[in-house]
Amino acid sequence: MSESAYPSVTDLTLEEKASLTSGGDAWHLQGVESKGIPGYMITDGPHGLRKSLASNTGDTDLNDSVPATCFPPAAGLSSSWNPALIREVGEAMGEECIQEKVAVILGPGVNIKRNPLGGRCFEYWSEDPYLAGHEAAGIVEGVQSKGVGTSLKHFAANNQETDRLRIDARISQRALREIYLPAFEHIVKHAKPWTIMCAYNKINGVHAAQNHWLLTDLLRGEWGYDGIVMSDWGADHDRVASLNAGLNLEMPPSYTDDQIVHAVRDGRIAPAQLDRMAQGMIDLVERTRAAMSIDGYRYDIDAHDDVARRAAIESIVMLKNDDATLPLRKDAKIAVIGEFARTPRYQGGGSSHITPNRMTSFLDALAARGIDADFAPGYTLDLAPADPALETEAIAAAGRNDVAIVFLGLPEEAESEGFDRTHLDLPAKQTDLLRRIAAANPNTVVILSNGSVVTIRPWAGDAKSILESWLLGQAGGAALADVVFGDASPSGKLAQSIPMDINDDPSMLNWPGEEGHVDYGEGVFVGYRHYDTCGKAVDYPFGYGLSYATFAIGDVRVEKTSANTARVTATVANTSDVDGAETVQVYVAPGKADVARPVHELKGFEKVFLKAGESTTVTIDLDERAFAYWSERYADWHVEEGEYTVEVGTSSRDIVARVPVALDGDGKTQPLTAWSTYGEWSADPVGAQVVAAVADAGERGDLPKLPDNSMMRMFLMTMPVNSMPMLMGEGGKAITEFMLADYARRTA
Ligand code: BGC
């Protein structure tokens, strides 16, 4: 860090250092006034600024916050597959933080949507770590480009709300490395967040806040992280253990800094460890000082509302559009049905709840366009049973118009931080109403509002078109009108699979755990990695989404760029007479592998905007990691030698080209031992020489000859060589001894 405005940790007393490792209150760092270190504000996030008004008052109303632009939560934004747009959202949030003097905004949250029932799926990005990391990096880059910090959360494995403060997430090292950590890893290495928030849960027996492996060995040691780690709110249960594990900051404070002082005095905390943790806090203050010193800054509300609207447009996924029902003619007679058209569901519940500075419902957007829609609420948003009068009114409205736009979705109580859902169904009163509306008017368009997946199959036949609009933030109504009337073509792609039935989900057998723990028994087979590997039908696959335009992807080439890397190029043409965007997705399919690998995995993507008739070329580089798996044997990433297939497509199920590429492999080999099978010896370059020597010795009569009938050979190949005596008695023992000695000689 360059010239600092603040004293270094060595200029502070023990008590002052200790005080830096907890907050000043629920939403502030603790300053050291006498030394000129300020106690800046830090607050939620993640899809806009939630500057709590409850700070020092004991008021716990999460919804009581300063008005700010409410951008689409990750549920929506993740469908944009557009990191540059996401960066713009981050830049706008950074500007709002400057105005409100907030030094760190608490987000983004990049935990994997392990199961669509997860209560916080609406604020997480994807079931796929590559997509989650490459999208959410945009938030970190955007916010921090303004001199304001982010807090990448919740590190790690916060994949459910059930028992979230205590649950022990038991995850194999391979699943951690391949699924639950890569989004964090990518962002730490490439976007460098200034802070990270640890999760509430335990990981393999140790609370995240006290997990030395997680916070120090992996994060700082392997990934080279140089920022600070704070606790989730109330996740620090042992100040001393946490500080020793690498937690810089306890939030909110438990006013126990004296515990840190005592622990340093009696040797339970090494002075150097406290210095490291406290210096991190001073560095954070230094990093944010310039932005926090700007006075009188005012962000441009209109410009930010425009960013929110563009972000919302790209968040919308068109799932179905029979008979080109959408876009609607501007002069079509429209019935608009559903309370959500008037009272939008635009964000999720809990700590991420933002007080929007504007709000455009779909009805507002129609009014702004001078459209006098025939509106009927159809149902109430509470849990009350269907209201026959509202239904009759809605069916009549549908019958007397050219088209019925029906808003369906999950009411606020159905999904929130704090609990997991128990099923994927929409409220029955909504789908029953839809059935009757479709009978009255077959030109029915459904617009969905939900933070995580809902089951679609049971009612899909009642809709000619379906727009999955997730949660769209404050400008969602305007964005929907843009799409419905064709001013913008839908371009969102699913960031999570839509299964036919929640029981198809691979994690269901271990969801949400029992007796304080949850086993991630599906390993790396999360979401489409399971559905595609097992050939399981889904309603809509990962990566899927329609457009008003049509596209052709062609001329797909894969060129090897080094021993284990490749470059993919493809042309994309807009073959229609409307402008639109297509997202080219690159999946890597391993060939024969030593471990069970998903049939393919997303390893690159690029969204391209093309005017009618236009075409372009995309280039996507695949690094060594794109082909690797985490080997528990090597405790490292491993690329096996052999043929891989690079797949280019527009969803995990719509692959338009498959191109083989042969990689050299990373050359990692495991030393052979008496416990290696004869087959493993034969496959190893040195082992094969030993095996040949055994055969030669057999020919010469120096060793017994190995059996040559096929059944015995089959047994032999899968047998550790220390079991040769079982097959061949004393002779087998001699062969084993010869092999081990010969191998030792050749590898000496
Ligand atoms: C949530 C965090 C949030 C924090 C502060 C916690 O309950 O898990 O995501 O940032 O509260 O509101």
Side-chain angles (χ1 to χ4, degrees), residues 147-218:
V148 171
T150 51
S151 198
L152 187 65
K153 65 190 187 181
H154 305 90
F155 192 52
N158 166 233
N159 308 106
Q160 64 184 58
E161 291 301 276
T162 306
D163 209 11
R164 69 169 167 161
L165 304 182
R166 304 181 304 181
I167 194 84
D168 180 15
R170 294 184 184 166
I171 316 176
S172 71
Q173 191 60 214
R174 184 171 163 219
L176 271 172
R177 298 288 189 152
E178 291 186 31
I179 304 292
Y180 297 99
L181 294 173
F184 290 100
E185 180 182 2
H186 174 78
I187 294 172
V188 164
K189 288 182 175 170
H190 298 276
K192 303 186 189 304
W194 296 347
T195 89
I196 286 179
M197 185 190 292
C198 78
Y200 283 125
N201 48 280
K202 294 179 190 153
I203 298 145
N204 293 327
V206 187
H207 268 114
Q210 297 168 30
N211 201 314
H212 190 276
W213 170 75
L214 188 72
L215 304 189
T216 296
D217 302 343
L218 178 82

Side-chain angles (χ1 to χ4, degrees), residues 97-330:
C97 289
I98 295 175
Q99 171 174 316
E100 296 298 333
K101 295 236 182 270
V102 169
V104 176
I105 186 162
L106 305 176
V110 296
N111 298 93
I112 292 298
K113 302 189 204 221
R114 176 176 175 239
N115 181 311
L117 296 173
R120 296 189 90 166
C121 279
F122 71 86
E123 41 178 329
Y124 293 154
W125 293 76
S126 182
E127 67 189 25
D128 181 90
Y130 183 91
L131 183 62
H134 284 73
E135 291 195 314
I139 296 285
V140 176
E141 288 163 2
V143 172
Q144 294 190 173
S145 73
K146 300 291 173 181
V148 171
T150 51
S151 198
L152 187 65
K153 65 190 187 181
H154 305 90
F155 192 52
N158 166 233
N159 308 106
Q160 64 184 58
E161 291 301 276
T162 306
D163 209 11
R164 69 169 167 161
L165 304 182
R166 304 181 304 181
I167 194 84
D168 180 15
R170 294 184 184 166
I171 316 176
S172 71
Q173 191 60 214
R174 184 171 163 219
L176 271 172
R177 298 288 189 152
E178 291 186 31
I179 304 292
Y180 297 99
L181 294 173
F184 290 100
E185 180 182 2
H186 174 78
I187 294 172
V188 164
K189 288 182 175 170
H190 298 276
K192 303 186 189 304
W194 296 347
T195 89
I196 286 179
M197 185 190 292
C198 78
Y200 283 125
N201 48 280
K202 294 179 190 153
I203 298 145
N204 293 327
V206 187
H207 268 114
Q210 297 168 30
N211 201 314
H212 190 276
W213 170 75
L214 188 72
L215 304 189
T216 296
D217 302 343
L218 178 82
L219 181 63
R220 275 129 169 164
E222 280 187 43
W223 297 352
Y225 179 61
D226 70 353
I228 67 108
V229 184
M230 68 178 78
S231 68
D232 197 346
W233 265 231
D236 186 355
H237 306 293
D238 181 333
R239 294 289 307 275
V240 175
S242 298
L243 193 129
N244 278 333
L247 188 89
N248 303 71
L249 177 67
E250 177 204 41
M251 287 303 291
S254 58
Y255 305 105
T256 54
D257 295 339
D258 56 325
Q259 290 182 7
I260 303 292
V261 172
H262 290 311
V264 172
R265 290 209 175 109
D266 67 21
R268 283 173 297 132
I269 292 176
Q273 176 66 1
L274 175 60
D275 284 1
R276 269 193 293 275
M277 295 297 102
Q279 184 64 51
M281 296 310 303
I282 298 173
D283 293 346
L284 173 63
V285 173
E286 174 63 36
R287 276 174 152 159
T288 54
R289 182 172 58 90
M292 291 304 97
S293 309
I294 301 171
D295 287 323
Y297 180 81
R298 283 280 164 269
Y299 68 86
D300 182 337
I301 294 194
D302 293 332
H304 288 194
D305 194 56
D306 184 58
V307 175
R309 179 172 177 166
R310 287 188 286 117
I313 290 172
E314 292 197 38
S315 301
I316 298 166
V317 184
M318 186 160 72
L319 296 176
K320 178 176 180 183
N321 196 23
D322 287 357
D323 305 332
T325 303
L326 289 176
L328 298 185
R329 285 195 337 267
K330 294 203 163 106

Side-chain angles (χ1 to χ4, degrees), residues 301-577:
I301 294 194
D302 293 332
H304 288 194
D305 194 56
D306 184 58
V307 175
R309 179 172 177 166
R310 287 188 286 117
I313 290 172
E314 292 197 38
S315 301
I316 298 166
V317 184
M318 186 160 72
L319 296 176
K320 178 176 180 183
N321 196 23
D322 287 357
D323 305 332
T325 303
L326 289 176
L328 298 185
R329 285 195 337 267
K330 294 203 163 106
D331 60 353
K333 277 175 62 201
I334 311 167
V336 177
I337 293 161
E339 184 57 53
F340 286 122
R342 175 168 63 184
T343 313
R345 170 98 199 288
Y346 58 96
Q347 65 177 340
S351 62
S352 68
H353 194 284
I354 283 140
T355 303
N357 57 24
R358 294 237 172 108
M359 179 51 63
T360 313
S361 70
F362 188 66
L363 290 185
D364 296 335
L366 294 185
R369 288 166 172 263
I371 296 173
D372 186 18
D374 191 353
F375 170 68
Y379 54 82
T380 56
L381 295 180
D382 55 22
L383 301 175
D387 179 332
L390 289 182
E391 292 188 335
T392 307
E393 181 196 19
I395 293 159
R400 61 179 171 251
N401 285 283
D402 299 335
V403 56
I405 302 183
V406 186
F407 280 75
L408 305 179
L410 295 177
E412 216 165 38
E413 309 79 68
E415 50 181 0
S416 167
E417 175 183 345
F419 64 89
D420 297 315
R421 287 188 295 161
T422 52
H423 61 80
L424 296 182
D425 299 335
L426 286 171
K429 66 180 176 186
Q430 293 185 22
T431 50
D432 289 348
L433 176 64
L434 173 67
R435 192 175 340 105
R436 296 171 63 196
I437 285 172
N441 187 340
N443 280 331
T444 296
V445 174
V446 166
I447 296 181
L448 287 171
S449 305
N450 46 288
S452 178
V453 163
V454 293
T455 316
I456 291 178
R457 174 151 305 254
W459 52 265
D462 296 326
K464 281 211 171 158
S465 300
I466 304 174
L467 293 179
E468 172 54 272
S469 80
W470 304 110
L471 307 176
L472 290 180
Q474 68 184 42
L480 280 167
D482 292 338
V483 167
V484 163
F485 293 104
D487 298 328
S489 184
S491 65
K493 300 278 183 178
L494 294 177
Q496 60 180 140
S497 313
I498 304 184
M500 290 198 174
D501 185 313
I502 187 56
N503 288 310
D504 293 341
D505 185 279
S507 67
M508 276 316 274
L509 283 178
N510 295 289
W511 176 269
E514 59 204 12
E515 299 188 327
H517 69 269
V518 51
D519 290 310
Y520 285 37
E522 70 284 2
V524 299
F525 293 89
V526 174
Y528 75 87
R529 284 170 167 75
H530 163 77
Y531 297 127
D532 291 358
T533 302
C534 297
K536 189 129 203 117
V538 291
D539 254 1
Y540 296 99
F542 175 81
Y544 174 87
L546 301 173
S547 165
Y548 297 148
T550 51
F551 301 91
I553 296 178
D555 205 13
V556 175
R557 288 163 204 261
V558 180
E559 171 205 348
K560 204 167 151 183
T561 44
S562 74
N564 297 311
T565 60
R567 170 163 298 164
V568 186
T569 51
T571 57
V572 195
N574 181 338
T575 51
S576 70
D577 55 7

